[in-house]
Amino acid sequence: MKRTAKHTTETIASILAAILAAILTTAALAGCGPRGEGTSEPDPRTSTACKRWSNTSMRECVVELQDARRVTCVASTVGMSCDWAHADGADKEPAR
């Protein structure tokens, strides 16, 4: 079978598409790991107060950070999302 320029171009395009897919998959999974990876115990200088939303696995938490700022977060079985734009003192420099 004689290879044509079109066949060669299609082969190269297929290889490049496979490489790109492998890179994107690797990049997407790079942040995945067991919960709490890299941490042992919670820092005693932070505190968290949560209340569960009725009939859901969602919780609303107020986390007090080491520098005394407080941030509101929503926690679920898949993770936590925090409203950093409205954290207390978000527009101030933390005390050192």
Side-chain angles (χ1 to χ4, degrees), residues 22-78:
I23 290 170
L24 291 175
T25 302
T26 302
L29 295 175
C32 295
R35 286 190 179 171
E37 185 177 59
T39 61
S40 53
E41 294 292 318
D43 192 318
R45 295 175 290 177
T46 61
S47 66
T48 306
C50 298
K51 56 183 171 185
R52 186 170 298 279
W53 292 352
S54 299
N55 301 322
T56 69
S57 63
M58 306 285 282
R59 295 172 299 163
E60 182 178 349
C61 304
V62 176
V63 180
E64 186 171 335
L65 305 172
Q66 297 173 15
D67 60 5
R69 289 181 297 155
R70 290 181 308 214
V71 61
T72 302
C73 302
V74 175
S76 69
T77 56
V78 295

Side-chain angles (χ1 to χ4, degrees), residues 6-18:
K6 182 179 178 184
H7 180 74
T8 303
T9 304
E10 289 173 355
T11 302
I12 292 172
S14 299
I15 292 170
L16 290 175

